[in-house]
Structure formats: C-alpha cells, structure tokens
Amino acid sequence: MKAWVEEELKFLDLGDKRLNTRLEKMLSELSEHPHETVPQAIEKPSDVQATYEFWENRHVKAEKIIEAHKKATIEKIAGEKVVLAVQDTTELEFPPKKGRRGLGSISKQGAEGLKVHNVLAVSGEGIPYGLLKQKVWARAKVRKGKGYVERKRKIEEKESFRWIESLREVQEAIPEDIELITVCDREGDIFELLAEPLREGAHLLIRAAQNRRVKTEEEIDKLFSKLEKLESMAEIAIKLRRTPRRKPRIARLQVKWTSVEIQPPLNKPEYQQMQSMKINAIVAEEIQAPKGEKAVKWVLLTTLAVNNLADAQKVLKYYTYRWLIERFHYVLKTGCGIEKLMLDKGERLEKALATYSIIASRILWLKYCAVEMPDEPADIALEEEEWQVLYCVITKKKELPSEIPTIYECVRWIGRLGGFMCRKGDGEPGVQTLWKGWQRLSDYLKMWIIIKEMQDFIRV
C-alpha cells in the first residue's frame, strides 16, 4: 500500500473495513495509470470487477469518500497562516449509453452529464492541497420560458445557492487561527454571497460581473462607471499562468483601487430589507497585451484591506491562484479521463468522480510542490523506492546519491519520462506531461520490484 494513500484515507469510514481496504487498493492502482481505462490501469480481472462492484455498492457513499479527503486536506493545511478556498463549477459530459440513468442537461445542447461544484484549498503561496467540498447534481431539463420563474425563486432553491452553502461549510471546517479567503470568478458575484456573514479572519475575493448600484457622496452611481473615473494609481508586473485561452506571460497592469458601498438590488422586495455593504474594489488592466492575446482586465471585490499598493498586489496575487481549480478540472477530465467512464448510473459516476478527485488533487499538488518548494527533498512527495528508481533511470547510474534529490529535480525527471525536453526556454513540465511520465515511472517501479524479489529468491 502506498504511504500517501494511507495518509489520504486515514479518516475514511465506509462502515465496513473491507470497503475501506478496497478503496485503498483502487487508489493505489488507478493512480499509477490515471489516464488509462479501469481494465488497463488495474492488472487483475478480479480487481477490475471488484472496482466496478465498489462503485455499484449502495452502502458506498461518494460524500464519505470526499469527507475523508476533506479531513486529510484540513490536516495538511494546519500549519498555514492563509488558505484560499477557491470555488468553481464545471460540467462533466458523458457519451450516450443505452439504459444510462441519473444524468441531466448541461450547457451543451442535447448533451447529458453532471454538474460539479468544487472548493479547492490553496496555500497563500499557491500550493493546491486538495478539496474542501464537492457538490454533484443532475440538472433537470429546463423548458423554454422558465428563466423568469427561476429568477423569482428564493436563493436557497436555486443552483447558485451552492456558492453560499460552500462558504458556510468551509468557514465552519477551517480552524479559526487560519485566515480564510473565499475566491470566486464572476459566476460567484451574487449579492447574497457578498452579504453572507463572515467569521473572524474570513474574507471574500470575487471577480465582479454585475454592474451594481453603489452609493457615492452625492448620488447613486453604477459600480463600473465609478471605477472607470478613477485615475491609475500604479503599474505592476504579474505572472499569468497558462489557461486553455492564453499562454503564460508576465503582464504589466495598471492598478487602481477604492472603497465602495454596494446597494441592494431593486428587483426583489426581500432585497430591500437588506443593508448596503462597504467593500473594497480593485481594477487591474493590462497595458499592452502581446499580439493575438486578449488583454487582461479584472474588477475584483474583496473584504480584504486595500490601503496601499502592497495590499493591492497581495490581493491580485491571491486572485491569480484561482486558475488552479481550472487546472484541477483539466486533470480530472483529460488526465483521469473521468468523462470516458461508461458506468450506467449517475450515482455510480459520482462515486468514481470522488475516487478520481483524490488522484487529481495529488497530481496537481505534486506539480506545484516543485514550483513553490523546489529545494525541499523529494521524499516530501515521493516514496523512497520511487525517487530511487527515478534517479537510476534518468542518470543511468547504479549507485544512489549521498543526498536525496530535490522535489524540483524529481518532478522535472518525471516530466522527461513523459516527453518534457528540459531545453532552455521550455519552462516547467505541465500536468499532462507529468501524468504521462508518472505512468512510465510506475512501470519501471514494478519491474524494479520484480527484479529485486527474484534476486532475493536466488540468494535464498
């Protein structure tokens, strides 16, 4: 059993020790070849069948798998001073399958799948530790003309309540000695979320989507109009990570900030019973984007203090970490092939999703350990046999080094196994390269274990 699997599932309680043991075995084997199908990733046909039976077992609940992972994640962040709870929603589209039940409509017309809302724990220095919450649902098909009716429903009855629900649960779960910052993209710009009570040491950081009414000294103005009138206060350089829509680059941004008093919306009577709220706003606009790239412009609303340029830079740095949850979803879909599963019930797919979410979070964590903690020894992430085999394969040496290689060196070596060239200007290996390299390392490790066992047998 892999040590990281034991740590990850130390809080697991499925009500039966045999079920706990089965999930541990599944995680160990599936994590070695996450991109492969279940029959390809797991060697024994009996174990393949047992994996499918595990996901079919009505006593196994996806919530309990995620709960164990959540507790392990909270234990990992115990020493952090600042933790970002990054929220985002994604859709899983599954191919048509006769008899498949439990799926719902998604954004793509005619397609069926599941909606998934995740909350990813990220350190103040950009290390993704794992999930704090995962909510999965099948959306009922919406008839034309129901949009107005949907808008008139209470927030607790809407899908958008997931943002508030997640904030409440995470606030309660994270120790109060940790500064907690909930980070959301424009979809999270909901008045009820902005108005949600925050515990001491908790904050919001949300990209604005709504041109809300704000109170000025003389009149009620619109948020974007007020911010547009501000003069630029500073220019800063910020590192933009790779996304599906842009290449990584250093962007020069004009930055300005102010405090605003947001007024309740006028479209519902119940809003009028709510108080206006003071919040800080930051505008960051790229001065000159490279040819072919869209200039970055963020309007951010935050309860964090923004009194000077240093405060604004810190808030902008935190917001750049929001894209980590997009990378998490990318690893789930492309690296773990979650949408290729042919299970015939939504409930079974949800259990498989919970299983692969643990694997995806580890792949992402390994990648950013190398980025943010490059000089740490490799054994913070790799088991002894893993880094030793990796060292011998890459260096072509039989003797092990006197010191453990760094995590930065090992991650680049894993990248080399996955096709990373390590040339000047290549940057760092991406998550896709890493999971390919990890599969090759797993194969080398199995062969190394077989040879070692044969040598021991011959000596006897």
Side-chain angles (χ1 to χ4, degrees):
M1 192 65 60
K2 293 181 181 293
W4 77 265
V5 173
E6 293 180 356
E7 282 297 307
E8 197 65 56
L9 298 181
K10 65 194 295 184
F11 299 106
L12 181 67
D13 182 10
L14 296 176
D16 188 323
K17 290 183 178 180
R18 293 169 298 179
L19 293 176
N20 292 357
T21 301
R22 173 52 58 186
L23 182 57
E24 291 173 356
K25 186 175 178 61
M26 287 165 56
L27 270 185
S28 292
E29 295 190 287
L30 292 173
S31 65
E32 291 177 356
H33 298 85
H35 188 56
E36 305 291 354
T37 64
V38 173
Q40 290 172 325
I42 298 177
E43 294 180 353
K44 294 182 180 179
S46 59
D47 286 337
V48 172
Q49 182 62 32
T51 297
Y52 289 129
E53 290 175 353
F54 177 88
W55 288 331
E56 292 172 5
N57 193 320
R58 62 185 178 86
H59 297 294
V60 174
K61 304 298 180 184
E63 294 84 359
K64 289 190 175 182
I65 298 174
I66 291 297
E67 182 65 20
H69 172 59
K70 168 188 168 182
K71 289 180 178 178
T73 299
I74 292 174
E75 187 174 74
K76 292 173 195 172
I77 63 176
E80 298 288 342
K81 294 181 179 179
V82 177
V83 169
L84 312 181
V86 185
Q87 295 194 37
D88 196 24
T89 303
T90 191
E91 295 178 331
L92 301 180
E93 178 187 349
F94 296 99
K97 176 179 169 63
K98 186 177 180 180
R100 180 176 267 168
R101 306 188 302 278
L103 302 185
S105 61
I106 56 176
S107 300
K108 184 178 177 181
Q109 188 173 8
E112 288 192 329
L114 295 172
K115 302 279 286 185
V116 185
H117 188 78
N118 287 314
V119 183
L120 182 69
V122 179
S123 77
E125 297 304 319
I127 298 176
Y129 280 106
L131 293 183
L132 296 171
K133 181 175 173 60
Q134 182 172 86
K135 181 180 178 65
V136 184
W137 71 98
R139 174 186 281 176
K141 293 183 179 180
V142 179
R143 297 188 300 274
K144 290 184 179 180
K146 286 193 68 179
Y148 176 76
V149 177
E150 169 67 14
R151 289 193 296 273
K152 299 295 287 184
R153 292 164 62 194
K154 292 182 179 179
I155 185 67
E156 292 82 3
E157 299 171 347
K158 296 181 180 180
E159 282 187 359
S160 54
F161 184 65
R162 65 191 184 273
W163 301 89
I164 300 165
E165 178 185 41
S166 297
L167 170 63
R168 291 175 181 175
E169 289 188 21
V170 171
Q171 275 197 138
E172 187 175 337
I174 299 298
E176 292 192 6
D177 60 345
I178 295 176
E179 185 177 15
L180 177 65
I181 304 169
T182 294
V183 183
C184 308
D185 203 0
R186 285 175 288 194
E187 195 179 354
D189 184 7
I190 304 165
F191 187 80
E192 289 88 347
L193 180 61
L194 293 170
E196 184 69 16
L198 300 173
R199 70 153 170 84
E200 186 176 353
H203 294 280
L204 294 174
L205 174 52
I206 300 172
R207 186 174 177 186
Q210 308 297 328
N211 194 15
R212 300 189 181 281
R213 298 185 310 131
V214 294
K215 184 178 180 180
T216 66
E217 294 179 358
E218 301 175 354
E219 59 183 357
I220 299 296
D221 199 354
K222 286 291 190 175
L223 173 65
F224 296 157
S225 300
K226 177 178 174 61
L227 297 178
E228 197 67 35
K229 298 171 188 174
L230 295 176
E231 295 291 332
S232 176
M233 298 177 177
E235 290 185 11
I236 66 169
I238 199 164
K239 187 175 183 180
L240 298 178
R241 304 283 188 173
R242 181 188 302 275
T243 75
R245 295 176 293 278
R246 71 165 181 247
K247 296 178 181 178
R249 67 178 185 268
I250 301 296
R252 291 206 61 80
L253 305 176
Q254 287 184 333
V255 182
K256 49 191 177 181
W257 59 89
T258 189
S259 178
V260 296
E261 188 173 345
I262 294 178
Q263 304 300 298
L266 296 172
N267 59 338
K268 281 188 179 181
E270 57 263 33
Y271 283 146
Q272 306 317 305
Q273 307 301 318
M274 304 178 76
Q275 299 294 318
S276 61
M277 66 189 75
K278 288 186 177 180
I279 200 163
N280 296 314
I282 301 176
V283 181
E285 187 168 6
E286 192 168 9
I287 297 170
Q288 187 174 3
K291 187 177 180 180
E293 295 281 354
K294 184 178 180 181
V296 168
K297 183 175 181 179
W298 297 332
V299 178
L300 305 179
L301 301 176
T302 183
T303 58
L304 289 160
V306 187
N307 298 317
N308 49 47
L309 178 58
D311 289 343
Q313 285 180 304
K314 181 172 68 173
V315 171
L316 289 168
K317 181 187 76 168
Y318 288 160
Y319 187 72
T320 64
Y321 297 151
R322 196 209 70 82
W323 66 274
L324 284 169
I325 199 165
E326 294 184 8
R327 301 307 289 167
F328 173 77
H329 292 153
Y330 174 78
V331 175
L332 260 180
K333 295 178 182 181
T334 308
C336 299
I338 191 71
E339 293 173 308
K340 297 178 182 178
L341 291 173
M342 298 301 288
L343 302 174
D344 59 1
K345 288 184 180 179
E347 184 182 358
R348 295 171 186 173
L349 288 165
E350 186 176 346
K351 297 172 192 177
L353 170 63
T355 304
Y356 277 107
S357 291
I358 298 175
I359 297 170
S361 69
R362 176 166 173 80
I363 294 173
L364 200 66
W365 173 78
L366 179 65
K367 155 76 175 174
Y368 291 100
C369 274
V371 173
E372 305 298 342
M373 302 187 298
D375 299 325
E376 290 293 319
D379 60 0
I380 68 166
L382 303 179
E383 295 181 28
E384 184 178 63
E385 291 178 341
E386 291 172 339
W387 73 255
Q388 289 177 350
V389 170
L390 181 60
Y391 174 86
C392 293
V393 168
I394 294 295
T395 64
K396 311 298 182 186
K397 295 179 180 179
K398 297 180 180 178
E399 298 79 17
L400 294 172
S402 57
E403 293 184 0
I404 299 175
T406 66
I407 186 62
Y408 177 79
E409 290 174 312
C410 285
V411 167
R412 286 176 70 87
W413 291 343
I414 293 172
R416 283 179 60 181
L417 293 180
F420 180 64
M421 300 294 288
C422 280
R423 298 171 300 191
K424 185 177 180 180
D426 279 347
E428 303 303 328
V431 289
Q432 184 175 8
T433 303
L434 287 178
W435 74 62
K436 289 180 180 178
W438 190 263
Q439 292 180 60
R440 289 193 65 194
L441 175 60
S442 297
D443 291 335
Y444 282 124
L445 182 60
K446 287 179 181 178
M447 183 57 67
W448 184 83
I449 292 172
I450 290 172
I451 293 172
K452 185 179 179 181
E453 289 176 348
M454 290 177 63
Q455 289 174 339
D456 292 342
F457 176 76
I458 291 172
R459 290 193 190 99
V460 174

